[in-house]
Amino acid sequence: MRRIPAPPSAVSINLELEDGEIWVDPEKIVRVLVNFIANSIDAMAGEGTLRIASMFQQGADNVCQIQISDTGAGMDEETLKKICQPFFTRKSKGTGLGLAICRKIIEAHKGRFTIKSKPQEGTTVVITLPVASSCQEC
């Protein structure tokens, strides 16, 4: 599993986490979060802000949203269209499998994710997972 690099001292981390529970395979979801957080730290090239937030929404959709935002380099539309394709990467080191694997894990948990990004403005990933009443629903 990929490790989260230690953030440089010029990267500030803001955590905005709501209390709540979701039933997931913790090892797999940690793998997803590590991948997205490591990508964010990489994109900031030594300085910026990383924001990690979780929110629980009740109502017709009982879901948990996890947002990971960075003030990094961002991505253009062409990159965004290809980013989840297996073996696509713009990094010198990497296989291009990270986001494809993340998608499979999130979908296996009956969830989804979106990526919004603009060059020079940063990227926000929103992971939406259902709030299950028991593990059998996962």
Side-chain angles (χ1 to χ4, degrees):
M1 174 172 32
R2 184 174 181 191
R3 291 182 168 200
I4 298 176
S9 60
V11 171
S12 63
I13 300 174
N14 297 333
L15 297 176
E16 301 170 23
L17 307 174
E18 283 187 11
D19 283 339
E21 291 184 5
I22 56 175
W23 291 93
V24 295
D25 179 325
E27 289 181 20
K28 289 182 180 176
I29 293 302
V30 165
R31 183 175 184 173
V32 167
L33 295 174
V34 164
N35 190 78
F36 284 125
I37 292 167
N39 284 348
S40 289
I41 291 170
D42 290 348
M44 289 189 283
E47 64 180 325
T49 301
L50 173 66
R51 178 180 171 266
I52 304 169
S54 67
M55 296 146 278
F56 287 83
Q57 298 176 354
Q58 307 255 331
D61 294 332
N62 280 343
V63 297
C64 174
Q65 284 193 332
I66 302 166
Q67 294 183 355
I68 301 166
S69 302
D70 66 63
T71 57
M75 295 176 276
D76 59 28
E77 287 295 321
E78 179 185 332
T79 301
L80 276 173
K81 288 177 186 174
K82 297 177 181 177
I83 198 76
C84 291
Q85 294 176 3
F87 305 110
F88 176 81
T89 185
R90 296 234 189 251
K91 296 180 180 183
S92 60
K93 295 180 182 177
T95 62
L97 291 173
L99 293 182
I101 292 169
C102 288
R103 171 166 282 164
K104 292 283 188 193
I105 292 170
I106 292 168
E107 288 174 351
H109 284 83
K110 297 180 176 54
R112 63 188 182 283
F113 73 91
T114 59
I115 301 174
K116 294 180 182 174
S117 187
K118 289 187 179 178
Q120 309 310 314
E121 292 184 23
T123 300
T124 297
V125 175
V126 179
I127 303 165
T128 303
L129 295 166
V131 177
S133 59
S134 71
C135 288
Q136 287 78 27
E137 294 182 21
C138 299

